[in-house]
PDB file of all heavy atoms in Angstrom:
ATOM      1  N   SER V   1     -58.023  16.589 -13.102  1.00 83.00           N
ATOM      2  CA  SER V   1     -59.419  16.557 -12.660  1.00 83.00           C
ATOM      3  C   SER V   1     -59.555  15.760 -11.374  1.00 83.00           C
ATOM      4  O   SER V   1     -60.321  16.128 -10.466  1.00 83.00           O
ATOM      5  CB  SER V   1     -60.312  15.949 -13.744  1.00 83.00           C
ATOM      6  OG  SER V   1     -60.311  16.743 -14.905  1.00 83.00           O
ATOM      7  N   TYR V   2     -58.793  14.680 -11.293  1.00 88.00           N
ATOM      8  CA  TYR V   2     -58.821  13.836 -10.092  1.00 88.00           C
ATOM      9  C   TYR V   2     -58.289  14.610  -8.883  1.00 88.00           C
ATOM     10  O   TYR V   2     -58.848  14.510  -7.782  1.00 88.00           O
ATOM     11  CB  TYR V   2     -57.988  12.584 -10.342  1.00 88.00           C
ATOM     12  CG  TYR V   2     -57.895  11.642  -9.163  1.00 88.00           C
ATOM     13  CD1 TYR V   2     -59.029  11.038  -8.624  1.00 88.00           C
ATOM     14  CD2 TYR V   2     -56.661  11.356  -8.578  1.00 88.00           C
ATOM     15  CE1 TYR V   2     -58.938  10.186  -7.536  1.00 88.00           C
ATOM     16  CE2 TYR V   2     -56.564  10.496  -7.497  1.00 88.00           C
ATOM     17  CZ  TYR V   2     -57.705   9.918  -6.973  1.00 88.00           C
ATOM     18  OH  TYR V   2     -57.607   9.073  -5.897  1.00 88.00           O
ATOM     19  N   GLN V   3     -57.232  15.401  -9.085  1.00 92.00           N
ATOM     20  CA  GLN V   3     -56.676  16.188  -7.991  1.00 92.00           C
ATOM     21  C   GLN V   3     -57.686  17.223  -7.489  1.00 92.00           C
ATOM     22  O   GLN V   3     -57.807  17.454  -6.282  1.00 92.00           O
ATOM     23  CB  GLN V   3     -55.385  16.893  -8.440  1.00 92.00           C
ATOM     24  CG  GLN V   3     -54.222  15.966  -8.770  1.00 92.00           C
ATOM     25  CD  GLN V   3     -53.817  15.095  -7.597  1.00 92.00           C
ATOM     26  OE1 GLN V   3     -53.933  15.481  -6.433  1.00 92.00           O
ATOM     27  NE2 GLN V   3     -53.317  13.900  -7.892  1.00 92.00           N
ATOM     28  N   LEU V   4     -58.440  17.833  -8.411  1.00 93.00           N
ATOM     29  CA  LEU V   4     -59.466  18.790  -7.998  1.00 93.00           C
ATOM     30  C   LEU V   4     -60.571  18.080  -7.217  1.00 93.00           C
ATOM     31  O   LEU V   4     -61.029  18.575  -6.180  1.00 93.00           O
ATOM     32  CB  LEU V   4     -60.042  19.503  -9.222  1.00 93.00           C
ATOM     33  CG  LEU V   4     -61.121  20.557  -8.955  1.00 93.00           C
ATOM     34  CD1 LEU V   4     -60.612  21.647  -8.026  1.00 93.00           C
ATOM     35  CD2 LEU V   4     -61.622  21.158 -10.269  1.00 93.00           C
ATOM     36  N   SER V   5     -60.987  16.917  -7.689  1.00 95.00           N
ATOM     37  CA  SER V   5     -62.009  16.138  -6.981  1.00 95.00           C
ATOM     38  C   SER V   5     -61.529  15.750  -5.587  1.00 95.00           C
ATOM     39  O   SER V   5     -62.298  15.809  -4.610  1.00 95.00           O
ATOM     40  CB  SER V   5     -62.365  14.882  -7.781  1.00 95.00           C
ATOM     41  OG  SER V   5     -62.970  15.208  -8.998  1.00 95.00           O
ATOM     42  N   LYS V   6     -60.269  15.360  -5.475  1.00 96.00           N
ATOM     43  CA  LYS V   6     -59.688  15.011  -4.170  1.00 96.00           C
ATOM     44  C   LYS V   6     -59.680  16.214  -3.237  1.00 96.00           C
ATOM     45  O   LYS V   6     -59.903  16.085  -2.031  1.00 96.00           O
ATOM     46  CB  LYS V   6     -58.268  14.470  -4.348  1.00 96.00           C
ATOM     47  CG  LYS V   6     -58.194  13.005  -4.753  1.00 96.00           C
ATOM     48  CD  LYS V   6     -56.762  12.556  -4.950  1.00 96.00           C
ATOM     49  CE  LYS V   6     -55.928  12.686  -3.695  1.00 96.00           C
ATOM     50  NZ  LYS V   6     -54.527  12.198  -3.909  1.00 96.00           N
ATOM     51  N   CYS V   7     -59.408  17.392  -3.792  1.00 97.00           N
ATOM     52  CA  CYS V   7     -59.396  18.618  -2.990  1.00 97.00           C
ATOM     53  C   CYS V   7     -60.782  18.867  -2.392  1.00 97.00           C
ATOM     54  O   CYS V   7     -60.909  19.114  -1.189  1.00 97.00           O
ATOM     55  CB  CYS V   7     -58.955  19.796  -3.854  1.00 97.00           C
ATOM     56  SG  CYS V   7     -58.898  21.381  -2.977  1.00 97.00           S
ATOM     57  N   PHE V   8     -61.808  18.781  -3.217  1.00 98.00           N
ATOM     58  CA  PHE V   8     -63.176  18.965  -2.709  1.00 98.00           C
ATOM     59  C   PHE V   8     -63.504  17.916  -1.648  1.00 98.00           C
ATOM     60  O   PHE V   8     -64.125  18.224  -0.625  1.00 98.00           O
ATOM     61  CB  PHE V   8     -64.191  18.869  -3.852  1.00 98.00           C
ATOM     62  CG  PHE V   8     -64.099  19.967  -4.872  1.00 98.00           C
ATOM     63  CD1 PHE V   8     -64.397  19.722  -6.209  1.00 98.00           C
ATOM     64  CD2 PHE V   8     -63.720  21.250  -4.515  1.00 98.00           C
ATOM     65  CE1 PHE V   8     -64.333  20.726  -7.152  1.00 98.00           C
ATOM     66  CE2 PHE V   8     -63.645  22.278  -5.452  1.00 98.00           C
ATOM     67  CZ  PHE V   8     -63.949  22.005  -6.786  1.00 98.00           C
ATOM     68  N   PHE V   9     -63.093  16.688  -1.875  1.00 98.00           N
ATOM     69  CA  PHE V   9     -63.382  15.608  -0.924  1.00 98.00           C
ATOM     70  C   PHE V   9     -62.649  15.837   0.396  1.00 98.00           C
ATOM     71  O   PHE V   9     -63.184  15.539   1.469  1.00 98.00           O
ATOM     72  CB  PHE V   9     -62.985  14.259  -1.524  1.00 98.00           C
ATOM     73  CG  PHE V   9     -63.424  13.084  -0.698  1.00 98.00           C
ATOM     74  CD1 PHE V   9     -64.765  12.736  -0.603  1.00 98.00           C
ATOM     75  CD2 PHE V   9     -62.493  12.321  -0.008  1.00 98.00           C
ATOM     76  CE1 PHE V   9     -65.172  11.651   0.169  1.00 98.00           C
ATOM     77  CE2 PHE V   9     -62.884  11.230   0.757  1.00 98.00           C
ATOM     78  CZ  PHE V   9     -64.235  10.898   0.851  1.00 98.00           C
ATOM     79  N   THR V  10     -61.445  16.376   0.338  1.00 98.00           N
ATOM     80  CA  THR V  10     -60.684  16.678   1.554  1.00 98.00           C
ATOM     81  C   THR V  10     -61.403  17.731   2.386  1.00 98.00           C
ATOM     82  O   THR V  10     -61.468  17.635   3.622  1.00 98.00           O
ATOM     83  CB  THR V  10     -59.269  17.161   1.202  1.00 98.00           C
ATOM     84  OG1 THR V  10     -58.597  16.139   0.464  1.00 98.00           O
ATOM     85  CG2 THR V  10     -58.455  17.486   2.446  1.00 98.00           C
ATOM     86  N   ILE V  11     -61.966  18.730   1.723  1.00 98.00           N
ATOM     87  CA  ILE V  11     -62.755  19.745   2.435  1.00 98.00           C
ATOM     88  C   ILE V  11     -64.019  19.105   3.017  1.00 98.00           C
ATOM     89  O   ILE V  11     -64.347  19.295   4.191  1.00 98.00           O
ATOM     90  CB  ILE V  11     -63.132  20.904   1.486  1.00 98.00           C
ATOM     91  CG1 ILE V  11     -61.881  21.624   0.977  1.00 98.00           C
ATOM     92  CG2 ILE V  11     -64.074  21.897   2.192  1.00 98.00           C
ATOM     93  CD1 ILE V  11     -62.148  22.622  -0.137  1.00 98.00           C
ATOM     94  N   TYR V  12     -64.698  18.339   2.203  1.00 98.00           N
ATOM     95  CA  TYR V  12     -65.987  17.737   2.579  1.00 98.00           C
ATOM     96  C   TYR V  12     -65.849  16.782   3.765  1.00 98.00           C
ATOM     97  O   TYR V  12     -66.763  16.685   4.595  1.00 98.00           O
ATOM     98  CB  TYR V  12     -66.554  17.003   1.366  1.00 98.00           C
ATOM     99  CG  TYR V  12     -67.919  16.396   1.566  1.00 98.00           C
ATOM    100  CD1 TYR V  12     -69.051  17.194   1.668  1.00 98.00           C
ATOM    101  CD2 TYR V  12     -68.084  15.011   1.635  1.00 98.00           C
ATOM    102  CE1 TYR V  12     -70.313  16.643   1.839  1.00 98.00           C
ATOM    103  CE2 TYR V  12     -69.338  14.447   1.805  1.00 98.00           C
ATOM    104  CZ  TYR V  12     -70.446  15.272   1.905  1.00 98.00           C
ATOM    105  OH  TYR V  12     -71.686  14.712   2.071  1.00 98.00           O
ATOM    106  N   THR V  13     -64.722  16.089   3.872  1.00 97.00           N
ATOM    107  CA  THR V  13     -64.530  15.089   4.923  1.00 97.00           C
ATOM    108  C   THR V  13     -63.729  15.614   6.118  1.00 97.00           C
ATOM    109  O   THR V  13     -63.391  14.839   7.011  1.00 97.00           O
ATOM    110  CB  THR V  13     -63.834  13.835   4.360  1.00 97.00           C
ATOM    111  OG1 THR V  13     -62.596  14.210   3.738  1.00 97.00           O
ATOM    112  CG2 THR V  13     -64.717  13.134   3.339  1.00 97.00           C
ATOM    113  N   CYS V  14     -63.425  16.905   6.131  1.00 97.00           N
ATOM    114  CA  CYS V  14     -62.709  17.484   7.273  1.00 97.00           C
ATOM    115  C   CYS V  14     -63.520  17.262   8.545  1.00 97.00           C
ATOM    116  O   CYS V  14     -64.739  17.448   8.560  1.00 97.00           O
ATOM    117  CB  CYS V  14     -62.488  18.978   7.040  1.00 97.00           C
ATOM    118  SG  CYS V  14     -61.539  19.785   8.349  1.00 97.00           S
ATOM    119  N   ARG V  15     -62.856  16.871   9.613  1.00 96.00           N
ATOM    120  CA  ARG V  15     -63.542  16.537  10.864  1.00 96.00           C
ATOM    121  C   ARG V  15     -63.798  17.771  11.730  1.00 96.00           C
ATOM    122  O   ARG V  15     -64.378  17.664  12.806  1.00 96.00           O
ATOM    123  CB  ARG V  15     -62.725  15.495  11.638  1.00 96.00           C
ATOM    124  CG  ARG V  15     -62.693  14.149  10.911  1.00 96.00           C
ATOM    125  CD  ARG V  15     -61.777  13.150  11.624  1.00 96.00           C
ATOM    126  NE  ARG V  15     -62.244  12.809  12.952  1.00 96.00           N
ATOM    127  CZ  ARG V  15     -63.169  11.893  13.216  1.00 96.00           C
ATOM    128  NH1 ARG V  15     -63.748  11.235  12.230  1.00 96.00           N
ATOM    129  NH2 ARG V  15     -63.520  11.619  14.458  1.00 96.00           N
ATOM    130  N   LYS V  16     -63.358  18.925  11.277  1.00 96.00           N
ATOM    131  CA  LYS V  16     -63.673  20.184  11.955  1.00 96.00           C
ATOM    132  C   LYS V  16     -64.789  20.884  11.165  1.00 96.00           C
ATOM    133  O   LYS V  16     -64.870  20.732   9.950  1.00 96.00           O
ATOM    134  CB  LYS V  16     -62.434  21.093  11.997  1.00 96.00           C
ATOM    135  CG  LYS V  16     -61.141  20.419  12.438  1.00 96.00           C
ATOM    136  CD  LYS V  16     -61.195  19.940  13.868  1.00 96.00           C
ATOM    137  CE  LYS V  16     -59.966  19.112  14.238  1.00 96.00           C
ATOM    138  NZ  LYS V  16     -58.740  19.893  14.365  1.00 96.00           N
ATOM    139  N   PRO V  17     -65.651  21.660  11.803  1.00 97.00           N
ATOM    140  CA  PRO V  17     -66.634  22.434  11.051  1.00 97.00           C
ATOM    141  C   PRO V  17     -65.944  23.345  10.036  1.00 97.00           C
ATOM    142  O   PRO V  17     -64.973  24.033  10.373  1.00 97.00           O
ATOM    143  CB  PRO V  17     -67.345  23.255  12.130  1.00 97.00           C
ATOM    144  CG  PRO V  17     -67.161  22.473  13.386  1.00 97.00           C
ATOM    145  CD  PRO V  17     -65.800  21.841  13.268  1.00 97.00           C
ATOM    146  N   THR V  18     -66.425  23.316   8.805  1.00 98.00           N
ATOM    147  CA  THR V  18     -65.836  24.122   7.742  1.00 98.00           C
ATOM    148  C   THR V  18     -66.856  25.163   7.289  1.00 98.00           C
ATOM    149  O   THR V  18     -68.002  24.829   6.979  1.00 98.00           O
ATOM    150  CB  THR V  18     -65.418  23.249   6.552  1.00 98.00           C
ATOM    151  OG1 THR V  18     -66.528  22.451   6.129  1.00 98.00           O
ATOM    152  CG2 THR V  18     -64.273  22.320   6.944  1.00 98.00           C
ATOM    153  N   ILE V  19     -66.424  26.415   7.249  1.00 98.00           N
ATOM    154  CA  ILE V  19     -67.318  27.519   6.921  1.00 98.00           C
ATOM    155  C   ILE V  19     -66.704  28.333   5.786  1.00 98.00           C
ATOM    156  O   ILE V  19     -65.582  28.836   5.913  1.00 98.00           O
ATOM    157  CB  ILE V  19     -67.564  28.440   8.138  1.00 98.00           C
ATOM    158  CG1 ILE V  19     -68.090  27.640   9.330  1.00 98.00           C
ATOM    159  CG2 ILE V  19     -68.528  29.563   7.774  1.00 98.00           C
ATOM    160  CD1 ILE V  19     -67.041  27.268  10.358  1.00 98.00           C
ATOM    161  N   ALA V  20     -67.423  28.456   4.684  1.00 98.00           N
ATOM    162  CA  ALA V  20     -66.988  29.296   3.573  1.00 98.00           C
ATOM    163  C   ALA V  20     -67.543  30.701   3.769  1.00 98.00           C
ATOM    164  O   ALA V  20     -68.738  30.876   4.012  1.00 98.00           O
ATOM    165  CB  ALA V  20     -67.461  28.719   2.247  1.00 98.00           C
ATOM    166  N   LEU V  21     -66.667  31.702   3.669  1.00 98.00           N
ATOM    167  CA  LEU V  21     -67.057  33.108   3.740  1.00 98.00           C
ATOM    168  C   LEU V  21     -66.871  33.690   2.346  1.00 98.00           C
ATOM    169  O   LEU V  21     -65.741  33.879   1.890  1.00 98.00           O
ATOM    170  CB  LEU V  21     -66.200  33.855   4.764  1.00 98.00           C
ATOM    171  CG  LEU V  21     -66.179  33.264   6.187  1.00 98.00           C
ATOM    172  CD1 LEU V  21     -65.247  34.075   7.078  1.00 98.00           C
ATOM    173  CD2 LEU V  21     -67.579  33.209   6.779  1.00 98.00           C
ATOM    174  N   VAL V  22     -67.973  33.951   1.662  1.00 98.00           N
ATOM    175  CA  VAL V  22     -67.923  34.225   0.223  1.00 98.00           C
ATOM    176  C   VAL V  22     -68.285  35.677  -0.058  1.00 98.00           C
ATOM    177  O   VAL V  22     -69.285  36.189   0.459  1.00 98.00           O
ATOM    178  CB  VAL V  22     -68.890  33.283  -0.532  1.00 98.00           C
ATOM    179  CG1 VAL V  22     -68.713  33.437  -2.037  1.00 98.00           C
ATOM    180  CG2 VAL V  22     -68.658  31.826  -0.118  1.00 98.00           C
ATOM    181  N   HIS V  23     -67.476  36.322  -0.889  1.00 98.00           N
ATOM    182  CA  HIS V  23     -67.753  37.707  -1.286  1.00 98.00           C
ATOM    183  C   HIS V  23     -67.297  37.905  -2.730  1.00 98.00           C
ATOM    184  O   HIS V  23     -66.589  37.066  -3.287  1.00 98.00           O
ATOM    185  CB  HIS V  23     -67.015  38.684  -0.365  1.00 98.00           C
ATOM    186  CG  HIS V  23     -65.544  38.792  -0.656  1.00 98.00           C
ATOM    187  ND1 HIS V  23     -64.661  37.767  -0.392  1.00 98.00           N
ATOM    188  CD2 HIS V  23     -64.819  39.795  -1.232  1.00 98.00           C
ATOM    189  CE1 HIS V  23     -63.440  38.136  -0.766  1.00 98.00           C
ATOM    190  NE2 HIS V  23     -63.509  39.348  -1.279  1.00 98.00           N
ATOM    191  N   GLY V  24     -67.722  38.984  -3.319  1.00 98.00           N
ATOM    192  CA  GLY V  24     -67.248  39.338  -4.652  1.00 98.00           C
ATOM    193  C   GLY V  24     -67.827  38.465  -5.737  1.00 98.00           C
ATOM    194  O   GLY V  24     -68.825  38.809  -6.369  1.00 98.00           O
ATOM    195  N   ALA V  25     -67.210  37.323  -5.946  1.00 98.00           N
ATOM    196  CA  ALA V  25     -67.681  36.390  -6.974  1.00 98.00           C
ATOM    197  C   ALA V  25     -67.232  34.975  -6.644  1.00 98.00           C
ATOM    198  O   ALA V  25     -66.165  34.759  -6.074  1.00 98.00           O
ATOM    199  CB  ALA V  25     -67.140  36.798  -8.350  1.00 98.00           C
ATOM    200  N   ALA V  26     -68.076  34.026  -6.998  1.00 98.00           N
ATOM    201  CA  ALA V  26     -67.755  32.591  -6.942  1.00 98.00           C
ATOM    202  C   ALA V  26     -68.271  32.003  -8.247  1.00 98.00           C
ATOM    203  O   ALA V  26     -69.483  31.840  -8.422  1.00 98.00           O
ATOM    204  CB  ALA V  26     -68.396  31.920  -5.742  1.00 98.00           C
ATOM    205  N   ILE V  27     -67.355  31.717  -9.150  1.00 96.00           N
ATOM    206  CA  ILE V  27     -67.715  31.382 -10.520  1.00 96.00           C
ATOM    207  C   ILE V  27     -67.194  29.994 -10.885  1.00 96.00           C
ATOM    208  O   ILE V  27     -66.070  29.619 -10.525  1.00 96.00           O
ATOM    209  CB  ILE V  27     -67.142  32.415 -11.507  1.00 96.00           C
ATOM    210  CG1 ILE V  27     -67.558  33.844 -11.120  1.00 96.00           C
ATOM    211  CG2 ILE V  27     -67.556  32.102 -12.945  1.00 96.00           C
ATOM    212  CD1 ILE V  27     -69.041  34.114 -11.202  1.00 96.00           C
ATOM    213  N   GLY V  28     -67.987  29.236 -11.650  1.00 94.00           N
ATOM    214  CA  GLY V  28     -67.540  27.951 -12.180  1.00 94.00           C
ATOM    215  C   GLY V  28     -67.177  26.975 -11.076  1.00 94.00           C
ATOM    216  O   GLY V  28     -67.918  26.791 -10.105  1.00 94.00           O
ATOM    217  N   ALA V  29     -66.008  26.364 -11.225  1.00 93.00           N
ATOM    218  CA  ALA V  29     -65.578  25.338 -10.266  1.00 93.00           C
ATOM    219  C   ALA V  29     -65.331  25.896  -8.878  1.00 93.00           C
ATOM    220  O   ALA V  29     -65.234  25.132  -7.916  1.00 93.00           O
ATOM    221  CB  ALA V  29     -64.333  24.621 -10.781  1.00 93.00           C
ATOM    222  N   ALA V  30     -65.251  27.217  -8.739  1.00 96.00           N
ATOM    223  CA  ALA V  30     -65.147  27.822  -7.400  1.00 96.00           C
ATOM    224  C   ALA V  30     -66.333  27.446  -6.533  1.00 96.00           C
ATOM    225  O   ALA V  30     -66.214  27.376  -5.302  1.00 96.00           O
ATOM    226  CB  ALA V  30     -65.053  29.337  -7.516  1.00 96.00           C
ATOM    227  N   ILE V  31     -67.475  27.181  -7.160  1.00 97.00           N
ATOM    228  CA  ILE V  31     -68.667  26.762  -6.421  1.00 97.00           C
ATOM    229  C   ILE V  31     -68.378  25.493  -5.624  1.00 97.00           C
ATOM    230  O   ILE V  31     -68.932  25.282  -4.539  1.00 97.00           O
ATOM    231  CB  ILE V  31     -69.841  26.517  -7.386  1.00 97.00           C
ATOM    232  CG1 ILE V  31     -70.210  27.804  -8.142  1.00 97.00           C
ATOM    233  CG2 ILE V  31     -71.050  25.946  -6.657  1.00 97.00           C
ATOM    234  CD1 ILE V  31     -70.837  28.885  -7.324  1.00 97.00           C
ATOM    235  N   GLY V  32     -67.498  24.641  -6.134  1.00 97.00           N
ATOM    236  CA  GLY V  32     -67.168  23.404  -5.444  1.00 97.00           C
ATOM    237  C   GLY V  32     -66.551  23.636  -4.081  1.00 97.00           C
ATOM    238  O   GLY V  32     -66.808  22.873  -3.135  1.00 97.00           O
TER     239      GLY V  32
END
């Protein structure tokens, strides 16, 4: 669980603009 939280935090704190391109489905923890 900690590794997943760290993954989200790494995305959130990226110093480059981050853009999610979403199609099909985004379910459960994929929302993170």
Side-chain angles (χ1 to χ4, degrees):
S1 296
Y2 178 62
Q3 294 301 329
L4 181 58
S5 295
K6 279 178 61 178
C7 180
F8 294 147
F9 188 70
T10 300
I11 297 170
Y12 183 71
T13 56
C14 183
R15 293 175 64 83
K16 313 295 173 72
T18 53
I19 305 99
L21 305 178
V22 187
H23 76 290
I27 306 295
I31 299 291

